[in-house]
């Protein structure tokens, strides 16, 4: 089971779109996929057709159970989506209270890792959508992944968010004992603007081969797909945005062979 965490400490950079787009493509290729929504705003949950406030169980219950969680409890939080092979562990607003309620409890940074170990035989890929805040949710998502996917909007302010994210990875990897594998994904690229091109060049200058050589373009089909609560590859399989994500997925699957070797 390969786990990818989609994270950035800036909002609006395409984290949820990237999570759903890659998950949809993997599911189409016959992979068993679990999407985990750890953002209290529950954008991923709503995107895939669920009302977070009307669910019997969610990711919140995993954290409340903590280190004593059972396989059956984990499975109770997972729902099948309308897309074959694609399941969801939804979020609720209650996740916003975790740092206050449980942040000081011992072992809270590894709850999600323990939970995923209990269902590892059920899935080929897990993609985790993370809120843009350093706290117990981001720590958990980083602790259990093979690779961090960092979408970065190709505009100058987004570089500041990326700087914060990289400092966070450095901070957490000190306690983890080894570094993270990560891929920076240029998103919302507009070839008509100088800002997009200049930002992309700065990304490559600063982070070199950690930056995916392609870019995800601005594509109105992404918004239309979210309105229909469908992965972009289901709603508009020939759109330029989906073609870009197909290329990204091929690249990430090649890297995954190294990550799990």
């Amino acid at each position: 089971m390969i786990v990818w965490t989609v994270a950035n400490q800036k909002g609006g950079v395409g984290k949820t779109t990237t999570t759903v787009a890659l998950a949809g493509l993997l599911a189409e290729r016959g992979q068993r996929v679990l999407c985990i929504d750890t953002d209290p705003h529950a954008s991923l949950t709503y995107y895939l057709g669920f009302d977070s406030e009307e669910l019997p169980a969610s990711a919140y219950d995993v954290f409340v159970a903590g280190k004593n969680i059972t396989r059956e409890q984990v499975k109770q939080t997972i729902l099948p989506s309308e897309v074959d092979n694609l399941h969801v562990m939804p979020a609720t607003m209650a996740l916003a209270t975790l740092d206050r309620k449980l942040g000081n409890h011992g072992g809270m940074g590894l709850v999600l890792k323990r939970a995923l170990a209990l269902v590892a035989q059920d899935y080929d890929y897990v993609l985790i959508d993370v809120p843009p805040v350093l706290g117990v949710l981001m720590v958990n998502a980083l602790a259990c992944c093979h690779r961090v996917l960092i979408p970065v909007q190709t505009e100058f302010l987004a570089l500041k968010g990326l700087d914060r994210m990289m400092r966070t990875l450095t901070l957490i990897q000190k306690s983890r004992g080894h570094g993270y594998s990560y891929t920076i994904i240029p998103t919302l690229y507009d070839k008509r603007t100088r800002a997009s091109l200049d930002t992309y060049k700065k990304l490559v200058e600063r982070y070199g081969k950690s930056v995916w050589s392609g870019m995800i373009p601005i594509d109105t089909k992404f918004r239309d797909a979210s309105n229909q609560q469908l992965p972009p590859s289901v709603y508009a399989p020939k759109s330029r945005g989906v073609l870009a994500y197909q290329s990204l997925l091929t690249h990430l699957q090649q890297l995954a062979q190294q990550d799990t070797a």
Side-chain angles (χ1 to χ4, degrees), residues 94-159:
L95 286 170
T97 68
L98 282 180
D99 280 292
R100 177 170 50 85
K101 289 183 177 179
L102 303 172
N104 294 324
H105 290 203
M108 280 303 296
L110 297 175
V111 170
L112 196 55
K113 185 173 184 177
R114 293 192 190 100
L116 287 179
L118 297 173
V119 294
Q121 65 190 17
D122 299 335
Y123 298 101
D124 302 304
Y125 285 86
V126 177
L127 287 88
I128 309 173
D129 192 14
V130 183
V133 179
L134 177 56
V136 68
L137 293 166
M138 182 177 286
V139 169
N140 267 267
L142 293 174
C144 64
C145 71
H146 295 97
R147 180 170 291 270
V148 185
L149 310 185
I150 310 176
V152 179
Q153 183 179 358
T154 47
E155 55 94 13
F156 289 116
L157 288 179
L159 294 177

Side-chain angles (χ1 to χ4, degrees), residues 116-231:
L116 287 179
L118 297 173
V119 294
Q121 65 190 17
D122 299 335
Y123 298 101
D124 302 304
Y125 285 86
V126 177
L127 287 88
I128 309 173
D129 192 14
V130 183
V133 179
L134 177 56
V136 68
L137 293 166
M138 182 177 286
V139 169
N140 267 267
L142 293 174
C144 64
C145 71
H146 295 97
R147 180 170 291 270
V148 185
L149 310 185
I150 310 176
V152 179
Q153 183 179 358
T154 47
E155 55 94 13
F156 289 116
L157 288 179
L159 294 177
K160 297 296 183 183
L162 177 58
D163 289 342
R164 288 195 297 273
M165 189 68 222
M166 300 311 296
R167 288 197 294 271
T168 294
L169 292 183
T170 300
L171 176 67
I172 296 178
Q173 74 185 19
K174 289 180 180 178
S175 61
R176 193 184 190 198
H178 59 86
Y180 286 94
S181 297
Y182 63 89
T183 297
I184 296 168
I185 304 166
T187 60
L188 297 165
Y189 184 81
D190 187 346
K191 64 182 180 181
R192 298 168 299 178
T193 68
R194 181 63 181 264
S196 279
L197 179 59
D198 288 348
T199 304
Y200 179 79
K201 287 181 178 178
K202 285 187 177 295
L203 284 173
V204 175
E205 287 173 4
R206 292 186 189 183
Y207 299 103
K209 292 183 179 179
S210 295
V211 181
W212 174 50
S213 60
M215 59 279 293
I216 305 299
I218 290 176
D219 190 338
T220 58
K221 296 296 184 182
F222 291 153
R223 183 170 59 249
D224 296 340
S226 67
N227 288 340
Q228 294 298 316
Q229 297 182 308
L230 291 170

Side-chain angles (χ1 to χ4, degrees), residues 50-73:
F50 300 100
D51 186 334
S52 70
E53 302 309 316
E54 296 183 358
L55 299 173
S58 71
Y60 177 76
D61 298 282
V62 171
F63 288 96
V64 171
K67 63 183 179 181
N68 298 316
I69 196 165
T70 65
R71 172 176 162 81
E72 188 57 34
Q73 286 175 306

Side-chain angles (χ1 to χ4, degrees), residues 24-100:
L25 288 168
L26 284 165
E28 286 181 13
R29 297 181 185 185
Q31 302 297 312
R32 300 169 301 166
V33 184
L34 172 62
C35 283
I36 300 179
D37 193 351
T38 64
D39 191 332
H41 290 107
S43 296
L44 174 65
T45 300
Y46 286 113
Y47 194 129
L48 290 175
F50 300 100
D51 186 334
S52 70
E53 302 309 316
E54 296 183 358
L55 299 173
S58 71
Y60 177 76
D61 298 282
V62 171
F63 288 96
V64 171
K67 63 183 179 181
N68 298 316
I69 196 165
T70 65
R71 172 176 162 81
E72 188 57 34
Q73 286 175 306
V74 177
K75 288 177 66 66
Q76 287 174 357
T77 68
I78 296 173
L79 303 169
S81 75
E82 294 296 319
V83 179
D84 290 344
N85 299 319
L86 178 55
H87 289 187
V88 186
M89 182 186 290
T92 65
M93 280 297 294
L95 286 170
T97 68
L98 282 180
D99 280 292
R100 177 170 50 85

